[in-house]
Amino acid sequence: MNRTRTGLGALAILVLLGCLPLLALTVPGVLPGYTYEPGTLQLLALCWLTAALALSYHLLFGVAGLMSFGHALYFAAGIYGLAIVLDRTDVPLLPAAALVLVGGIVLAFVVGAVSLRVTGISFAMVTLAFAQAGNVLVRRDQGDVTGGEEGLALATEGVPDALIGVVNTRNLYWLALAVLVVVYLVVLWIERTRAGHMAAAVRENEVRVRIIGGRPYVTKLVVFVLAASLATVVGMAYLLLQSGASPATSTADFTLTLLVMVVLGGVGSRWGAVVGAVLYTLLDQRLGELAHSEAVAGLPAVLRIPLSEPMFLLGTCFVLVVVFLPGGLAGAAQRLAARGPRRRGERAPEPAPDGAAA
């Protein structure tokens, strides 16, 4: 019954999100306008793609316990790969996307095969080195391919007209929502397969898995490649939404942002990764407007200076969540859900296993 209610609730939320471009809803201070307006749809689509990317990092960090500092490399591979293929060839969108996905899988396999030879902080540093190398290649623009610091505009010749221009922001919104749903279902499926169970076991005790005959290296490599492949897919959708590629998406800072999103939502929780990513994106986009508002400008200098920096506000929010909400937003929600039966004298439900929150 609980699973049925959860499924029906998720379906109702999905239907509501799908209908937002057809409705005239607004949330003052959160959304820039009505939900049918291009600016609002652009922001919401960015939230859905960021949530999908956070889910791919959840698969890597929350399920397999692999703290990578280079996950942005595969996101950037999807963005720049598709942008370059569309710019330099006459291949239509779908075949070009398939070609880029294959390239992303090969890249992830090579990097993962090397990086996973070490563990812990050494693994994190090796992935960081690969990501930094990718960022240098993008910024140096060897052969006039990536556009350097200026980035690379989307070549629209091979892109369907329904995905081009401000008037089609509604279609891009639905595309972003579809990508989020597909990524969520893929992550859910992986977690429930034997590979997902093995990855969770490796995260808890790699030595024990090796003793009972498991192959931790192969398991981690499979999860690594799957997470990177999902990030590549999200990157291609991001290119269509933003109509261009920017070198900022290939930096290690971007991966650290994903880590913050996952920790904010709750490590090991799928819906926590989604909520954390959406909340972070909304704060990142809207706090800039608050920082430059007249209300902040009229404050004394001791308050105006820190409040005029959006990153200061984001950092403060993150610190407060880590200190007062251990387990992130998902952990807080589970504790609140457990208090209800306890107050009524009923037996509290068993806590959900890692990653099982819907």
Side-chain angles (χ1 to χ4, degrees), residues 214-278:
R215 302 171 67 185
Y217 175 81
V218 175
T219 300
K220 291 190 290 186
L221 181 58
V222 169
V223 174
F224 187 95
V225 173
L226 288 172
S229 302
L230 292 176
T232 302
V233 172
V234 177
M236 290 187 282
Y238 182 89
L239 172 70
L240 297 176
L241 178 65
Q242 299 294 81
S243 298
S246 168
T249 57
S250 63
T251 62
D253 292 344
F254 195 83
T255 300
L256 294 178
T257 299
L258 294 177
L259 177 60
V260 169
M261 293 175 185
V262 172
V263 173
L264 179 64
V267 178
S269 170
R270 288 186 303 275
W271 76 263
V274 172
V275 173
V278 171

Side-chain angles (χ1 to χ4, degrees), residues 164-200:
I164 300 174
V166 176
V167 294
N168 291 313
T169 307
R170 179 187 299 178
N171 297 331
L172 292 169
Y173 169 89
W174 283 324
L175 174 65
L177 184 60
V179 169
L180 173 58
V181 172
V182 170
V183 170
Y184 184 92
L185 293 177
V186 170
V187 171
L188 174 62
W189 173 73
I190 293 172
E191 288 186 20
R192 293 183 176 179
T193 61
R194 187 174 182 274
H197 295 160
M198 184 66 72

Side-chain angles (χ1 to χ4, degrees), residues 80-96:
Y80 276 94
L82 185 59
I84 292 171
V85 171
L86 292 176
D87 183 55
R88 296 302 179 97
T89 70
D90 296 326
V91 180
L93 178 61
L94 291 181

Side-chain angles (χ1 to χ4, degrees), residues 9-317:
L11 181 60
I13 293 174
L14 182 59
V15 171
L16 175 62
L17 295 178
C19 293
L20 283 183
L22 307 176
L23 303 175
L25 303 177
T26 185
V27 183
V30 177
L31 300 179
Y34 290 102
T35 51
Y36 65 84
E37 295 178 347
T40 302
L41 292 177
Q42 179 85 7
L43 174 59
L44 291 175
L46 180 62
C47 289
W48 308 151
L49 291 183
T50 306
L53 186 60
L55 275 172
S56 71
Y57 192 76
H58 153 78
L59 183 62
L60 194 65
F61 180 50
V63 177
L66 298 172
M67 182 179 287
S68 170
F69 287 163
H71 199 59
L73 176 63
Y74 316 104
F75 180 63
I79 297 173
Y80 276 94
L82 185 59
I84 292 171
V85 171
L86 292 176
D87 183 55
R88 296 302 179 97
T89 70
D90 296 326
V91 180
L93 178 61
L94 291 181
L99 180 63
V100 172
L101 178 58
V102 172
I105 293 173
V106 173
L107 174 63
F109 180 82
V110 173
V111 174
V114 175
S115 304
L116 289 170
R117 295 294 177 181
V118 293
T119 59
I121 192 63
S122 299
F123 168 78
M125 291 299 101
V126 172
T127 57
L128 175 62
F130 276 109
Q132 289 294 86
N135 181 250
V136 169
L137 291 176
V138 167
R139 292 183 181 276
R140 289 293 179 86
D141 191 20
Q142 296 292 331
D144 193 26
V145 175
T146 62
E149 296 288 346
E150 299 297 325
L152 191 62
L154 174 65
T156 59
E157 288 78 7
V159 181
D161 294 338
L163 299 177
I164 300 174
V166 176
V167 294
N168 291 313
T169 307
R170 179 187 299 178
N171 297 331
L172 292 169
Y173 169 89
W174 283 324
L175 174 65
L177 184 60
V179 169
L180 173 58
V181 172
V182 170
V183 170
Y184 184 92
L185 293 177
V186 170
V187 171
L188 174 62
W189 173 73
I190 293 172
E191 288 186 20
R192 293 183 176 179
T193 61
R194 187 174 182 274
H197 295 160
M198 184 66 72
V202 170
R203 180 196 65 214
E204 297 300 326
N205 196 320
E206 183 173 340
V207 175
R208 182 176 297 177
V209 172
R210 187 177 292 110
I211 291 175
I212 64 177
R215 302 171 67 185
Y217 175 81
V218 175
T219 300
K220 291 190 290 186
L221 181 58
V222 169
V223 174
F224 187 95
V225 173
L226 288 172
S229 302
L230 292 176
T232 302
V233 172
V234 177
M236 290 187 282
Y238 182 89
L239 172 70
L240 297 176
L241 178 65
Q242 299 294 81
S243 298
S246 168
T249 57
S250 63
T251 62
D253 292 344
F254 195 83
T255 300
L256 294 178
T257 299
L258 294 177
L259 177 60
V260 169
M261 293 175 185
V262 172
V263 173
L264 179 64
V267 178
S269 170
R270 288 186 303 275
W271 76 263
V274 172
V275 173
V278 171
L279 179 61
Y280 184 97
T281 304
L282 289 174
L283 288 174
D284 184 43
Q285 296 292 320
R286 303 302 292 167
L287 284 179
E289 182 176 325
L290 173 64
H292 297 92
S293 64
E294 295 181 0
V296 173
L299 295 173
V302 67
L303 294 175
R304 184 182 70 252
I305 294 176
L307 292 179
S308 62
E309 296 293 335
M311 292 307 298
F312 173 83
L313 299 176
L314 277 173
T316 302
C317 292

